Amino acid sequence: MDVFEKTIMSKNIYTGKIVKLDIETVLLPNSKTAEREIVRHPGAVAILPIDNSGYIYFVKQFRKAVDKDLLEIPAGKIEYGEDPSQCALRELQEEIGYTSNKLSYITEIYTSPGFADEKIYIYKAEELVKSERVKDDDEFINIYRFKPDEAFEMIKKGEITDAKTIVALLCGFKL
């Protein structure tokens, strides 16, 4: 059975600073129709920054969607037309005040494909070089460093729950 859903109508119901919300009417494989609510997002990057001593840099910031502080690797939204690797270097500088002489692609993930098209490109940044930190006006970030074993223990204890961070750690160290 063909499981493809053909879009027969699409309507934008909200456009914000970061996301759009579309309602799509789709034709199902059984010839019935259904509506899908889809959050459109320009994409993002996440960076696993590792210094020469083997420490990983993390940021802790309040996330309103879950109403709590989360410990995460540096990340940010891709600007229109921006190359993901250049975005990764920009976000690294904005969030922790470093750039990298060795940026390598790890993987890419869809965050919530049941309702959103957001894709996050994940990179590893090594050979870190201190640079000027250029903060965004609406970001309040605390920076932390942990050894990989500490970070994996924090995942087990539920202290790191951010999906992109967990994927980056698993793919960056275990694969």
Side-chain angles (χ1 to χ4, degrees), residues 76 90 113 125:
R90 177 177 55 76

Side-chain angles (χ1 to χ4, degrees), residues 32-133:
K32 294 183 180 186
T33 60
E35 286 192 342
R36 303 290 188 236
E37 298 172 357
I38 302 174
V39 175
R40 303 289 182 191
H41 187 280
V45 299
I47 311 98
L48 182 66
I50 305 168
D51 69 17
N52 292 337
S53 299
Y55 283 90
I56 305 163
Y57 284 79
F58 293 85
V59 297
K60 184 180 265 189
Q61 59 185 324
F62 184 79
R63 295 298 196 177
K64 185 60 187 163
V66 294
D67 263 335
K68 62 182 174 181
D69 287 326
L70 292 182
L71 192 60
E72 312 170 28
I73 58 173
K77 181 176 71 72
I78 298 171
E79 300 298 333
Y80 179 75
E82 186 177 28
D83 178 76
S85 64
Q86 291 304 306
C87 179
L89 292 172
R90 177 177 55 76
E91 288 294 337
L92 194 62
Q93 184 170 8
E94 288 176 8
E95 296 205 352
I96 65 168
Y98 280 88
T99 189
S100 170
N101 286 329
K102 185 179 177 188
L103 185 72
S104 52
Y105 171 85
I106 296 176
T107 192
E108 54 197 62
I109 59 172
Y110 288 103
T111 58
S112 299
F115 66 88
D117 68 355
E118 180 188 25
K119 182 190 288 189
I120 297 181
Y121 299 86
I122 301 175
Y123 293 88
K124 182 187 282 190
E126 299 170 290
E127 299 178 16
L128 300 181
V129 178
K130 187 78 174 145
S131 63
E132 183 179 340
R133 186 170 171 219

Side-chain angles (χ1 to χ4, degrees), residues 5-11 23-27 33-36:
E5 295 181 359
K6 180 180 178 183
T7 301
I8 54 178
M9 188 171 69
S10 184
K11 179 179 161 188
I23 303 291
E24 293 198 355
T25 304
V26 297
L27 181 62
T33 60
E35 286 192 342
R36 303 290 188 236

